[in-house]
Structure formats: structure tokens, C-alpha cells
Amino acid sequence: MSTLAVMRLEWRRLFVRPLGWVLAALTLAELAWRFVLLLGNFLGMQVRLAALPSGPGFTDLVGVPLLSSLLTGGFIPFGFTELALIVVPLLAMSTLAGERSNGTLPLLFGTGQSAASIVLGKYFALMAWLLLWLALTLAMPLSLAHVAHLDWGKLAAATLGMVLLLAALAAIGVACSDFASHPAIAATAGILLVLALCSVQLGAQSAGVNNNLIDWLALPSHLEPLLRGLVSSADIVWFALLTVLALALAVRRVAAEKERD
Amino acid sequence: MIAPTTGSPPILQLERVSRRRGGRPAVRELGLSLAGGQVLGLLGVNGAGKSTTLSMIAGALQPDSGTIRLDGLDFAEHPELARQRLGWLPERAPLWPELTAGEHLDAHGRLRGLHGAALRQARERVVERLELQPLLRRLASALSQGQRQRLGLACALLHGPALLVLDEPGNALDPVQVAALRALIREQADAGTAVILSTHLLAEVTAVCNRVAILHEGVLHHDGPVAADGHAALERRFFDIAMAGGAQAA
């Protein structure tokens, strides 16, 4: 119950701050632009696609590319994944660093909240906002479900990939906010960390290093199969591990706040 | 001044509580106990360890050693006791700037486990008692320091705590508000609430407390009833302790 109370408080704070609304408006407008471009491209290819017996469909050329540029390349305009790498750390930056700078973190302890309920309450509120953002993005391809043939299985796998990605990014964002003294530092650290997770593989490849561990560490190695419609428990476990590790570190750090000198 | 309550079991007990802050001992081997209906004034110069003591009692800081008991239970093992039994107004009344005064009351109520009709009734009670009606829709960032203190106090009182911890509650209040605050503290004590009040204003202690504890450099130098001769005796004792400590430090 106390986690729910913290979650409601954090949700309310997210809801009344302009940052969330501005980010939602800008990113959804950008995603709508990407959707229109992808749709125009898809419609322009109709004749060629009709000649292919098992050519790519609406989901391959519009639905999944709207969520990520990983499979299609051509990053601009950004897909949902690329935007999430920036948006999530920005939204998460104030969760705990903001409490610390307001002086309200001790107040939460004073109401008998445990470190776990503080961290989890904030995390779940952030996840609720992010899932709403994902739902509004998915509404774009789904709005054409009655006229286009959707590959529901592939779209469900890609959606699962997005949910896991958001869960991991939100956990990293909350942990960074917990370790930073100021929200701006938390946002910078969060963005750098997730960019490092995304590019570790590319860096190694360009240096001529081909290492399984580096491949395993890289976020795209686990997201790409899900975007292709391949759900593997190894990828789900990777995201779950990352999420749990980040949240566990955040809980430990908040608990240590009471013991700080 | 309120008549001291004797004989009732202590709500709060501190046993040899110590805490270091900023590399130096902020509180050393502190022992205190407080029963329902008592109002304890915690006096001390700046840096004496008052806020550290209150933060530990409120559960926001962990003691390095020693035990804090609330209703006879070890607070470190039962931090959830704070939810129902304790109300805390920290120094400068920290608030969430983006929330209104009404949203603060709702949030604090829910954090304390109040919901539905119980939350509504508790909210109405403190809003009426602290005259917060005109402030309910105002953002916390737009409140004056005095209004912030009143809102912070309302949040601390919302759930009817058995122990009320007030850290310099009179700061930034005008004389009328100070008088209202004193009346409120007396009212709480009469209802059986134990109140611990940190201040460096001697007049505050003689006006509202029935017990006084004087901290200096983290050490408890005096703990006893407020003397019948009131302000003058307390002032003498306070300066003796503060000056002796200062001379020792020199």
C-alpha cells in the first residue's frame, strides 16, 4: 500500500510538471511525422510488393520501423526507441535527485516509507507514464488495422521489446537520479549510460574486436530479435537482469541515505 | 505552561543514542524519554545537535549507536511505526513545489495509510484547525514561509500522531501565528500527544513546554521540568551551559 501511495504522489508530480507534457507533445508529433513518411513509402511500394509472393507487409515497413530504426537504418526522423534513449533519462532525472534538492526525501522517510517502497513507487509511476506514451505511439499503426493487414505476432513481439526497453531505461534513469546530487547530472549520466549500452558493440566492431561478451552486453543484440518477431527467454532475462540490478542499486543507495554523514 | 503528566508509560525512549555528521560527533550518548501529554523543549545553540536528534527520532537518520524506542518497540526494527504514531515537521517545512496545499494533505494522508472517508475527515479537521481553506488550491512554491510552516504542521497532524516532532516550528511566523502555534501545541498535549519541540528561543520553551532539555555540542546537559521561576532561571542555566561549553572549546 505504501508503494502505491508513493506511486500516486510521483504520478501526480509527473502529471503537473510541464516537462512530461512538452516531451510527450514533441515526441508524438515527431513520431507522427515518421509514421506518415513510412506510410507514404509503403504506399509507393505497393506495385513492387504485390509482385513478391512473401514480401514485407505493413507491419514490417510501417509498424515495427515506427518503433525503432535498428532494422531499417536511416535514424532521422527518430523512431520510438531512439527517442526513449533521451526521453526516459529526462523524465527520470527528478525522481530522487529532485526529492533530495527539495529536502523532501527525509520527509518520505519520516512517513515510515522504506527505501524499496520509495524507489518502486517512483519507478512504477514513471513506467505508467511511459506505457501511456507507448500506447499512444502504437495507436498510429493500429488505427489502420481495419484497412491494412497487420502481423499481430510480430507487432506483439516488438511491443514486448519496447516494454522491456522502457522498463530497463526507467530503472537506469531512477538509479542515476538516486546517485546524482542534481537532476541535470542525473539526466546526463542516464543518457550517457544508455548510449554506452547501445554503442558498446559498434565501438568494439570498429576497433576490430569481435567478442561475445561485448555482444551480450549491448542493448541492440537483445532488442533486434524482438523487433524481428523472435521472442527468446535469453533476451527477456537480459532486460529483467538490467532492470532488477538498477533498481536494487537504487534501493541500496536510498537506504544508505539514512546513514550518510 | 502545561502541567506535566506523570505516571503514563513513555511513548518515546532514547537510549545512549549517538550520531556523527560531517566527520564530527553531532549527538553523543543521548538518553531521553517522553510520555503522552508532555511537551519537551529541546534547547541548544546552532549546531548543538537538535535537528540531528529530531531527524533520528523521525526516522530520517539512522543512529550510529544506541536505540530509539517508540511505544516500547525498537524503531530501527519497526520503521513502519512512524506511519501511524509519529508526525514530523522538519526545519523549513520542505514541500513539493509543483503540488498544491490540498494535494500535499492528500499525499501525506495516503502515505500515512489514510484513504476514503477517513482521509476526507482528517483533512477537513486540520484544514479547519489551521485555517488552510484559502490556501488549498495554491501551489506550495507560491506560499510564504509562514504558510509553508502551517501546511507542514497540518501534514504532521493529519493522522493524529501520538508523538509530534517539531523542528523550530516558530521560524518565520508572525506574533499572531506564534500564539496560534502555542495554543495548538497545548491542545495536542491536552489530548495526550507527546510533543518534542526544538528551538533556540527560550521564551518559546517557557510559554509552552513542561520539560526542557538542553543540548550542547551533542551532549545532553540538562533535562528537567521548566522551573516555576520560568524564563529567568532557564536563561541562567542555558547561558551557563552554552558559555561553559564555549570556554571549554576555546
Side-chain angles (χ1 to χ4, degrees):
Chain A
M1 282 302 272
S2 57
T3 303
L4 194 64
V6 177
M7 183 188 163
R8 282 185 72 163
L9 170 63
E10 186 63 21
W11 173 255
R12 184 70 197 154
R13 292 182 64 212
L14 269 174
F15 192 75
V16 296
R17 274 199 302 252
L19 180 68
W21 291 103
V22 170
L23 285 176
L26 291 176
T27 53
L28 287 170
E30 199 268 359
L31 287 166
W33 176 36
R34 182 174 173 90
F35 177 67
V36 170
L37 290 180
L38 289 166
L39 189 62
N41 190 38
F42 173 69
L43 293 174
M45 291 167 70
Q46 282 300 297
V47 177
R48 270 185 290 160
L49 290 173
L52 298 171
S54 58
F58 177 76
T59 310
D60 302 293
L61 295 175
V62 181
V64 173
L66 177 67
L67 298 179
S68 175
S69 307
L70 264 181
L71 302 180
T72 54
F75 281 92
I76 293 176
F78 290 140
F80 184 86
T81 301
E82 293 75 41
L83 289 172
L85 300 181
I86 311 291
V87 166
V88 180
L90 284 176
L91 270 179
M93 68 181 178
S94 292
T95 48
L96 286 153
E99 296 281 6
R100 201 173 285 118
S101 56
N102 283 341
T104 42
L105 191 56
L107 205 59
L108 287 175
F109 286 130
T111 58
Q113 308 305 314
S114 65
S117 57
I118 292 172
V119 170
L120 291 179
K122 286 173 174 293
Y123 174 72
F124 290 141
L126 183 60
M127 275 307 288
W129 193 99
L130 294 172
L131 291 177
L132 191 63
W133 182 47
L134 176 62
L136 290 171
T137 304
L138 286 170
M140 294 178 208
L142 290 176
S143 65
L144 296 179
H146 62 292
V147 290
H149 176 72
L150 273 170
D151 183 336
W152 290 103
K154 201 173 270 187
L155 192 64
T159 303
L160 175 66
M162 291 301 107
V163 172
L164 292 170
L165 173 78
L166 291 176
L169 294 183
I172 291 171
V174 169
C176 286
S177 177
D178 197 359
F179 280 88
S181 56
H182 194 274
I185 299 169
T188 311
I191 290 170
L192 289 176
L193 205 58
V194 296
L195 287 179
L197 273 175
C198 289
S199 57
V200 60
Q201 196 183 18
L202 296 173
Q205 278 167 5
S206 64
V209 178
N210 200 357
N211 187 312
N212 282 343
L213 178 66
I214 292 173
D215 280 349
W216 184 82
L217 278 176
L219 190 148
S221 310
H222 305 278
L223 188 60
E224 205 177 303
L226 288 159
L227 291 171
R228 291 188 192 283
L230 302 170
V231 179
S232 111
S233 51
D235 295 327
I236 295 173
V237 166
W238 185 87
F239 280 108
L241 273 178
L242 189 59
T243 305
V244 170
L245 179 69
L247 288 177
L249 284 173
V251 170
R252 275 187 66 100
R253 179 67 174 74
V254 169
E257 194 84 20
K258 284 186 181 187
E259 291 154 21
R260 283 183 82 186
D261 205 17
Chain B
M1 200 171 75
I2 307 157
T5 310
T6 53
S8 49
I11 289 174
L12 174 73
Q13 285 169 287
L14 274 73
E15 295 162 8
R16 301 171 67 89
V17 170
S18 299
R19 181 68 157 89
R20 291 180 73 84
R21 286 188 100 172
R24 67 173 193 87
V27 175
R28 287 185 276 186
E29 304 270 316
L30 180 62
L32 269 179
S33 77
L34 195 64
Q38 286 191 325
V39 183
L40 173 70
L42 194 57
L43 269 178
V45 294
N46 288 333
K50 303 188 297 291
S51 291
T52 303
T53 302
L54 296 196
S55 294
M56 287 192 289
I57 292 171
L61 276 181
Q62 192 109 13
D64 292 335
S65 61
T67 310
I68 298 175
R69 292 184 196 283
L70 213 57
D71 290 334
L73 295 170
D74 188 342
F75 197 22
E77 288 168 17
H78 301 275
E80 74 283 353
L81 281 173
R83 195 174 309 149
Q84 279 116 29
R85 305 292 286 161
L86 196 145
W88 179 36
L89 173 65
E91 199 179 351
R92 288 188 291 274
L95 301 170
W96 293 285
E98 63 275 66
L99 298 188
T100 64
E103 286 168 340
H104 271 86
L105 293 173
D106 291 341
H108 272 270
R110 281 192 283 265
L111 289 168
R112 304 284 188 180
L114 296 175
H115 298 280
L119 175 57
R120 273 196 303 279
Q121 282 168 10
R123 188 183 137 122
E124 279 168 21
R125 180 175 48 79
V126 293
V127 165
E128 192 186 328
R129 180 62 190 81
L130 286 149
E131 296 169 8
L132 289 173
Q133 193 63 44
L135 306 180
L136 286 180
R137 287 173 184 273
R138 300 236 323 248
L139 286 176
S141 56
L143 299 179
S144 69
Q145 188 57 36
Q147 291 167 334
R148 292 171 68 92
Q149 292 282 105
R150 271 161 64 205
L151 176 58
L153 196 55
C155 293
L157 287 170
L158 194 65
H159 56 300
L163 171 65
L164 188 58
V165 180
L166 306 174
D167 197 351
E168 312 215 355
N171 278 0
L173 297 185
D174 62 41
V176 176
Q177 290 170 331
V178 167
L181 173 72
R182 289 175 182 173
L184 181 75
I185 292 171
R186 286 190 200 105
E187 199 180 285
Q188 290 295 314
D190 289 344
T193 307
V195 183
I196 181 163
L197 163 80
S198 148
T199 183
H200 46 242
L201 302 174
L202 304 182
E204 188 93 351
V205 174
T206 49
V208 80
C209 300
N210 47 35
R211 242 179 84 192
V212 60
I214 303 176
L215 270 179
H216 190 72
E217 294 178 346
V219 177
L220 182 67
H221 284 266
H222 171 77
D223 180 10
V226 174
D229 51 350
H231 191 272
L234 181 60
E235 190 174 49
R236 246 189 336 269
R237 189 180 289 274
F238 178 76
F239 278 102
D240 283 350
I241 291 169
M243 302 309 273
Q248 264 178 15

